[in-house]
């Protein structure tokens, strides 16, 4: 993949401002943050945390407005987004404390870009130390397997116990991919409770609703939000709007409002699996 490197001066100011941070905070932080963009990846540094966004989708991705509940149409029309909401299928490689942590693994489709993105970030699946899973939907765990073979042979896998237990109780057809994948990694699978701190000093935060055990992860000033937001242009304007993928819409709305407020108050940078590219905000 041809790489085009662009240094973004001052980009972090806009990112922090978007999350409710002050201009002064953004200015101070910009001195310690370097952002480098490649085709399909973007790397930022937040203090001791190095985070790389990896685009998994091979083609432009927009969420159809029909994916969201009724009031989304009016909001989309007012924003000029009737043709779809800019989105992505993304994963994030975090390097901290000498360890490589991959948050989710994308679709694992024939044209998925995860492996190419890891290569652009200077690593390989064999060098990934940990997989931290936000939830068990196929566009988040699909890249863990290639056929019947594990893709990350040396990675320890972490997921919320609430997520695992809920999926194991679902009907066979719905949980087939989850069971196959978790069984393949069973000797390295670790289930945590919300609030646990994982290797790399990563805090696990409860963000249920999209799925029964959906997890947000905090690594320093980075917040990996998983599928808290599917259509940022809509849901940042109105967090009460839900996508049809949200299993418990009331819980999803409550989690979205709470976590977005946490972001604003803490001045975090969000890394979202369906935020528009590049998927930091």
């Amino acid at each position: 993949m041809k790489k085009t490197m662009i240094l973004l001066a001052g980009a972090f100011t806009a990112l922090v401002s978007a999350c409710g941070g002050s201009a002064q905070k953004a200015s101070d932080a910009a001195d310690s943050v370097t952002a480098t963009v490649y085709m399909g990846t973007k790397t930022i540094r937040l203090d001791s945390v190095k985070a790389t966004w990896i685009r998994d989708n091979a083609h432009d991705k927009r969420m159809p407005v029909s994916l969201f509940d009724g009031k989304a149409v009016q909001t989309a029309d007012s924003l000029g987004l009737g043709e779809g909401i800019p989105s992505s299928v993304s994963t994030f490689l975090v390097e901290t404390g000498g360890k490589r942590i991959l948050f989710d693994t994308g679709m694992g489709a024939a044209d998925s870009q995860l492996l190419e993105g890891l290569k652009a970030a200077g690593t390989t699946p064999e060098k990934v130390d940990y997989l931290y899973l936000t939830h068990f939907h196929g566009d988040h765990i699909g890249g863990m397997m290639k056929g019947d073979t594990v893709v990350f042979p040396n990675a320890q896998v972490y997921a919320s116990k609430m997520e695992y237990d809920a999926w194991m109780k679902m009907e066979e057809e719905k949980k087939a991919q989850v069971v196959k994948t978790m069984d393949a990694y069973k000797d390295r699978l670790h289930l945590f409770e919300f609030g646990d701190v994982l290797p790399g000093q990563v805090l696990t935060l409860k963000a249920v609703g999209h799925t029964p055990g959906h997890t947000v992860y905090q690594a320093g000033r980075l917040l990996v939000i998983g599928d808290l937001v599917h259509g940022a242009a809509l849901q940042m304007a109105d967090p009460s709007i839900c996508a049809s993928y949200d299993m418990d819409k009331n819980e999803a709305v409550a989690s979205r409002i709470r976590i977005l407020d946490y972001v604003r108050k803490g001045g975090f940078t969000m890394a979202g699996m369906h935020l528009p590219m590049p998927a930091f905000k």
Side-chain angles (χ1 to χ4, degrees):
M1 179 178 291
K2 183 179 179 181
K3 303 173 185 175
T4 304
M5 184 178 290
I6 306 169
L7 295 181
L8 301 178
F12 188 66
T13 300
L15 290 171
V16 173
S17 178
C19 290
S22 67
Q24 183 61 51
K25 283 171 65 180
S27 177
D28 292 343
D31 293 335
S32 62
V33 176
T34 302
T36 305
V37 175
Y38 300 88
M39 185 184 300
T41 68
K42 174 178 179 176
T43 298
I44 64 173
R45 291 184 182 272
L46 300 168
D47 303 321
S48 62
V49 173
K50 177 183 176 183
T52 299
W53 160 70
I54 298 175
R55 165 180 168 165
D56 189 57
N57 53 294
H59 306 288
D60 183 56
K61 183 170 181 61
R62 287 179 176 266
M63 295 283 188
V65 179
S66 60
L67 177 69
F68 300 88
D69 58 27
K71 54 187 170 179
V73 175
Q74 183 178 355
T75 304
D77 287 344
S78 70
L79 296 171
L81 296 170
E83 295 184 359
I85 316 303
S87 184
S88 69
V89 177
S90 297
T91 70
F92 296 88
L93 177 69
V94 168
E95 298 174 68
T96 182
K99 299 296 184 180
R100 295 182 178 91
I101 305 166
L102 183 64
F103 291 85
D104 291 351
T105 64
M107 287 288 296
D111 60 356
S112 285
Q113 301 297 297
L114 173 61
L115 300 185
E116 198 61 41
L118 288 173
K119 181 179 178 181
T123 193
T124 64
E126 292 78 12
K127 294 179 180 178
V128 171
D129 298 296
Y130 301 102
L131 296 180
Y132 291 172
L133 305 177
T134 63
H135 64 293
F136 287 170
H137 279 157
D139 55 337
H140 297 262
I141 68 169
M144 293 174 68
M145 302 291 294
K146 186 173 183 180
D148 294 327
T149 304
V150 298
V151 174
F152 299 91
N154 302 310
Q156 300 294 314
V157 180
Y158 285 78
S160 83
K161 186 176 187 300
M162 186 177 290
E163 181 78 353
Y164 181 89
D165 289 347
W167 280 87
M168 292 304 108
K169 295 175 184 176
M170 294 183 190
E171 56 269 28
E172 291 299 324
E173 184 176 349
K174 180 175 286 189
K175 71 180 183 181
Q177 181 186 20
V178 173
V179 171
K180 176 181 177 179
T181 302
M182 296 306 129
D183 281 353
Y185 285 85
K186 63 183 178 182
D187 294 337
R188 293 175 278 135
L189 177 62
H190 309 271
L191 303 178
F192 58 76
E193 302 288 349
F194 294 122
D196 287 352
V197 177
L198 307 186
Q201 292 300 299
V202 176
L203 175 64
T204 63
L205 299 173
K206 183 179 181 179
V208 302
H210 176 60
T211 61
H214 184 263
T215 306
V216 164
Y217 294 92
Q218 180 180 333
R221 292 188 290 120
L222 181 75
L223 216 64
V224 181
I225 65 169
D227 281 12
L228 190 78
V229 173
H230 279 85
L234 289 180
Q235 292 172 298
M236 296 294 287
D238 184 353
S240 70
I241 294 175
C242 279
S244 60
Y245 300 130
D246 290 336
M247 292 183 175
D248 185 325
K249 291 180 170 51
N250 289 333
E251 288 276 18
V253 170
S255 291
R256 192 155 38 248
I257 291 172
R258 175 172 47 81
I259 296 295
L260 290 178
D261 184 60
Y262 185 68
V263 169
R264 283 188 290 269
K265 289 179 177 177
F268 292 99
T269 293
M270 291 190 296
M273 280 58 183
H274 296 301
L275 291 178
M277 303 179 295
F280 291 114
K281 190 170 180 64

